[in-house]
Amino acid sequence: MTDSAAGLRLQVVPDHTALEPTRLAVLAYLAPYALSAQAVYAVELVLEEVLTNQIKYAFVGRVASAVALSVDVDAGDVVIAFEDDGHAFDPLQAAEPPWPSSIHQAQVGGLGLVLVQRLAKATCYERAAEHNRLTVTIDRGG
Amino acid sequence: MDMATRDLESDVRCIALTGRLDAPGADHIDTAFTAAAVASGGAVLVDLSGVSFIASMGIRLLIAGARGLHAKGGQMVLFGAQPLVYTVLDQAALDQIIPLAGTQQEALERLAA
């Protein structure tokens, strides 16, 4: 775990036990920036949804390696990037389940990634050199 | 993540949730919440006023409870969500599946409607 001048850099073990320490480390890093409550909420939701998705799916059938997480803050935004060497997967293409109109139709798979896209200002997925890289930009003001 | 259940007048059960309804929080109360909701078989209000955070796993928990209750002929209404929690529930269009009221009184009125 290092905190460079460029921002926070973490290697996150893809396991559910890593979620809470990662959340707390990111919140501690962001504390001096006095983000809006909406922005902090969005950061926490993005961390949980993306990391949970990577834990579940990125390394199925292969040895799991750490997810490289970076958090940077500029004048207007918080930029969070997740990079892993797991299976090629574009979460932005997977994230639009049909909305149910009744409780009987409710299929909630994929909801987490939909929420990420709706709370983020921008999202970007790249696959390069056998790595997935998802970048999520959150407005500091919410 | 804490959960408290009390029975209101006229066979309405109220389940108050307190804390973070994130993945660990939802996992923590999963069995107890579903059992408390479904076992009532009638009307259940879920008080979200003490919930400071909700993500998709928490929403799944609410839907699973509501669906189980519905299958037994019951009905669930949520109420009291804090503004940021409400925003997420709204983005998930949850109110198309489970009615979402502002106050306990409004939730009771939704049950009667």
Side-chain angles (χ1 to χ4, degrees):
Chain A
M1 186 180 296
T2 59
D3 181 3
S4 73
L8 181 67
R9 302 289 179 264
L10 297 174
Q11 294 291 319
V12 181
V13 176
D15 185 274
H16 289 286
T17 57
L19 291 175
E20 185 67 2
T22 301
R23 179 178 81 86
L24 296 175
V26 171
L27 290 183
Y29 170 72
L30 293 175
Y33 292 99
L35 306 181
S36 71
Q38 295 98 310
V40 172
Y41 195 113
V43 167
E44 292 192 61
L45 185 138
V46 167
L47 285 173
E48 167 156 328
E49 302 297 358
V50 176
L51 288 173
T52 298
N53 195 69
Q54 288 172 306
I55 290 164
K56 282 184 184 171
Y57 304 116
F59 303 102
V60 174
R62 67 167 71 178
V63 176
S65 52
V67 174
L69 171 68
S70 69
V71 182
D72 294 276
V73 183
D74 64 24
D77 302 313
V78 180
V79 181
I80 308 175
F82 304 82
E83 189 168 323
D84 67 66
D85 64 355
H87 302 290
F89 175 66
D90 180 353
L92 307 180
Q93 293 298 316
E96 278 297 339
W99 291 113
S101 58
S102 78
I103 195 161
H104 302 294
Q105 297 174 357
Q107 299 291 329
V108 292
L111 176 61
L113 296 172
V114 171
L115 291 176
V116 167
Q117 288 186 286
R118 296 197 174 188
L119 294 188
K121 179 177 175 183
T123 51
C124 175
Y125 170 78
E126 303 163 279
R127 176 76 178 176
E130 302 293 309
H131 281 66
N132 299 299
R133 182 178 174 84
L134 177 67
T135 306
V136 182
T137 304
I138 295 164
D139 191 319
R140 281 179 64 164
Chain B
M1 191 70 224
D2 292 316
M3 186 186 114
T5 301
R6 62 194 165 97
D7 289 324
L8 306 176
E9 55 186 323
S10 64
D11 299 327
V12 178
R13 174 168 288 184
C14 182
I15 304 174
L17 302 179
T18 305
R20 292 176 56 83
L21 210 39
D22 54 7
D27 189 53
H28 183 65
I29 63 163
D30 186 4
T31 305
F33 175 77
T34 305
V38 175
S40 84
V44 173
L45 305 186
V46 179
D47 181 352
L48 296 176
S49 61
V51 175
S52 58
F53 180 88
I54 192 167
S56 67
M57 292 301 288
I59 295 173
R60 289 174 198 214
L61 176 76
L62 296 174
I63 292 175
R67 179 186 281 153
L69 181 59
H70 215 256
K72 292 185 69 174
Q75 185 186 4
M76 180 181 286
V77 178
L78 312 176
F79 74 93
Q82 297 176 19
L84 293 174
V85 169
Y86 181 86
T87 298
V88 171
L89 299 181
D90 187 48
Q91 293 284 4
L94 187 65
D95 63 346
Q96 291 183 21
I97 307 171
I98 311 174
L100 193 52
T103 65
Q104 179 175 309
Q105 184 57 40
E106 289 170 13
L108 287 168
E109 290 167 6
R110 291 292 290 271
L111 283 176

